[in-house]
Every structure is written in structure tokens, then in C-alpha cells.
Amino acid sequence: MRIEKLVLATHNAGKVAEMSDLLAPYGIEVLSAKDFDLDAPEETENTFEGNAFIKARFVAKETGLPALADDSGLCVNTLKGEPGVYSADWAGPEKDFGKAMILVNDKMGQCPDRSAYFISVFAFVLPDGREMVFEGRCDGSLIWPPRGAGGFGYDPMFVPKGEGRSFGEMDMSEKKKYSHRAKAFAEFRKIFE
Ligand code: IMP
């Protein structure tokens, strides 16, 4: 498949940066929902896939262009997968991820199982109605206190499996070796091959 333009269905600057970087080698003009002054639709589903399609369908319809949405989140095993699809909500309306990380750590208490994983689901919607879905997962563990000022969201408290550093201590190219989003992208990019 060949596409010339694509709109990222997100207002999250961290996601725009990572997804633009992943798309850079493909010669596609990458725009985002912000470039069209679009509001973010309400994410009313309780699955990553459901919410990813809400965002991608909305942006494809509003712009008439191919739209790519990522719905992602942190799932903590000892919290039965929470915060999961509610990962952004735990930061409150002020999007305070320092507060969200404290909440996660407090809820885990003294539990020795610190394992967690990030999930990223990409929904790709074309103006002609075709729809595709791709998924990536990154396993790791949660540290306290958080470390590093890089990345976004829960990055400073997440150490991917096989690493000693948190995502917050890595630059974008290092994070890309492990990240759930890069893995979902590795599936997505096959449509260009
Ligand atoms: P949504 O997909 O926009 O509903 O929100 C996903 C939320 O999950 C983000 O706001 C972050 O809090 C968290 N999240 C997703 N991916 C990452 C990541 O790569 N690093 C850190 N936090 C992430």
C-alpha cells in the first residue's frame, strides 16, 4: 500500500513525537489531530482496541485522510491489569503523571511482584472505510522512586525486561528497541512492504 499523508489521531505530544519518529523513514507526510484543531473524542470503550478505533474513525471522518490512532496503557499484574485503559485518567484533568505514578506505587503497597507491561494498540482507518488493527506489548517491572526525565507518562517508573534503566532514562532511539509502540509499529509498517 502507498499513502502520502497520514493523520495521527492523538493530542499527546509524547505519542506524536514517537510515532512521527517511527514513520520518518517512509516518506509520508505526518499530521496530527492538533493540526486540524480537532477535539479529542470521548473514549467510552473499555478495551484498547475499542478506544483506538473511536479515535481513528473520528479523525478519518473529519479529515478525509488515513488516520492512525494508538491506544495504550500500563497494566500492573498485581493490580489485575490496572490502570490499563484508564492510564491517562489516573493522572487527573491536570495530566499530572507524578501523581499517577504515586497512585500506582501506593496501590501496589509492599507486594513483592513488581511486574507490569505496556500495551499499544494501533487502529488504522482509511477514508474508504478499510480498517486494520496492530498490537505491541512490552514486559518489565516497576521501580520506586521513578528515575529519569525522558519520555512521558509512566516512563520514569518502568524498566523493560533485560534492561537496568527506566524508559525515563533512555532517549527515544533506545526506548524504541523495547517499546510496545515500536512493536505495534513493526506490524503496522508491513502494509507498506
Ligand atoms: P491514551 O492511549 O491516550 O488513552 O493514554 C495512554 C496513557 O498510557 C498515556 O497517557 C500514558 O499515561 C500511558 N502510556 C502509554 N504509552 C506509554 C509510554 O510509552 N510510556 C509511558 N506511559 C505510557
Side-chain angles (χ1 to χ4, degrees):
M1 183 186 296
R2 258 206 66 67
I3 54 170
E4 277 163 20
K5 264 189 199 180
L6 175 158
V7 189
L8 297 175
T10 181
H11 290 77
N12 179 323
K15 286 186 187 179
V16 172
E18 286 189 14
M19 292 166 85
S20 301
D21 177 59
L22 290 162
L23 282 158
Y26 294 89
I28 299 166
E29 186 183 344
V30 180
L31 301 160
S32 89
K34 228 176 172 177
D35 297 317
F36 292 86
D37 269 338
L38 297 177
D39 289 331
E42 215 187 319
E43 297 180 26
T44 49
E45 296 284 339
N46 58 7
T47 62
F48 293 111
E49 182 174 329
N51 286 328
F53 274 116
I54 287 178
K55 294 184 275 193
R57 284 179 191 138
F58 173 74
V59 168
K61 185 164 165 272
E62 293 295 320
T63 63
L65 291 167
L68 180 65
D70 157 278
D71 202 68
S72 48
L74 175 71
C75 304
V76 182
N77 287 318
T78 185
L79 302 182
K80 299 190 172 70
E82 283 192 301
V85 289
Y86 305 107
S87 293
D89 299 343
W90 280 30
E94 66 282 11
K95 296 190 174 33
D96 181 349
F97 282 95
K99 189 175 106 181
M101 288 191 284
I102 290 172
L103 192 56
V104 168
N105 190 59
D106 285 353
K107 284 203 170 206
M108 291 175 81
Q110 295 306 310
C111 185
D113 178 5
R114 304 284 302 180
S115 65
Y117 55 94
F118 276 118
I119 291 278
S120 163
V121 174
F122 280 14
F124 187 49
V125 174
L126 292 156
D128 65 11
R130 276 179 292 167
E131 297 191 339
M132 290 160 240
V133 64
F134 310 89
E135 184 171 329
R137 170 176 170 145
C138 174
D139 284 278
S141 58
L142 298 178
I143 52 164
W144 200 258
R147 290 199 311 251
F152 67 98
Y154 298 87
D155 278 345
M157 75 180 302
F158 185 85
V159 175
K161 216 175 189 164
E163 252 290 339
R165 292 169 307 156
S166 74
F167 272 166
E169 294 174 297
M170 296 181 193
D171 63 27
M172 212 150 62
S173 69
E174 293 172 305
K175 180 178 172 185
K176 206 156 64 173
K177 288 187 214 147
Y178 303 97
S179 96
H180 46 307
R181 199 162 294 102
K183 287 177 184 154
F185 186 81
E187 294 304 309
F188 170 67
R189 73 169 174 224
K190 291 179 186 162
I191 68 173
F192 303 128
E193 285 160 8

